[in-house]
Amino acid sequence: MSVNQTTTAQPLAGDDTDGQPAGAAGARVPGGTDMVGKALGLLVLLGDEPRGASAADISRRAGLPFSTTYRLLGSLTRDGFVDYEPDGRRYHLGLRVFQLGQRVSNHHGFAGTALPILRRVTGRTAEATILSVRDGIHHLTVNKVDGPQTFRVTSDPGHLGSLSATAVGKVLVAFAEDAEREHLLAELPLERLTDRTIVDRDAFRAEIEAVRRRGYAVMDEENETGMRALAVPVLNAQGYAFASLATAAPVFRLTVEGLEAHLPVLLEAAAELADRLPQR
């Protein structure tokens, strides 16, 4: 896959100011005061916005003047690190960031090492197999193998998704290190994505405790209407999850019980991945 580094998707100057003062209080950009650090900081902030954000939103969160944010976003868009959506006037991480991420994944062995195992799982389940890791308050899809059926799972490599509403995310929370798990249980945003999403803090804690007891997590239309998934942890030597492995399918093809029938296949593959993958 090649990247066109000359493509420009520039907004009109002054868009999205929303009448807010530049540099309003927010999540300040990491990386110091140099322009390279500020630009990298904007990429980090966009990584926390899977649906994208306006220039004004980014400016407020970064604690930077709108004019500075706008210029940096323009440069990042020009070079393919950021995409601009004119209809919604929102910025998203661009293809070049994904490309670099894939190179990092390959360098660390995740993509190449995991792919044959994921293909084997899909061959036995006839459904999509997904490998994810935790990235802050999201899960990051590292690799995916689609099933042979025509209905396709949309969580492609590079996708940032919910930790609380997905099977892979629940597993990463449930089998995180003790202190980190408690922090996530107390502070993780519980955003409603469907009518079945868990948004009550006590109910979420109970769900994570149940995941720990049984050793796997289920997503039953909590993240996306019409989809189910079952995930298991990929554990390091200390018993904490450094990745999670899932089978996902549309509800019209598999019941929860049907997903659970694939649990032995996933557990076997997760144990193999734990032996072969570099542990983070």
Side-chain angles (χ1 to χ4, degrees), residues 1-7 79-81 94-97 99 103:
M1 181 181 294
S2 62
V3 178
N4 183 355
Q5 296 187 36
T6 62
T7 300
D79 292 334
F81 291 99
L95 181 61
R96 189 152 179 77
V97 174
Q99 182 184 62
R103 289 177 181 174

Side-chain angles (χ1 to χ4, degrees), residues 143-192:
N143 216 333
K144 183 191 76 168
V145 174
D146 282 313
Q149 314 271 8
T150 55
F151 194 92
R152 186 174 173 276
V153 174
T154 56
S155 181
D156 290 322
H159 169 75
L160 283 172
S162 167
L163 282 180
S164 62
T166 61
V168 289
K170 292 178 190 177
V171 160
L172 291 168
V173 174
F175 293 94
E177 294 186 23
D178 297 349
E180 187 62 23
R181 181 174 66 254
E182 286 303 313
H183 173 74
L184 290 169
L185 286 170
E187 302 294 338
L188 187 66
L190 303 179
E191 180 185 4
R192 184 178 295 282

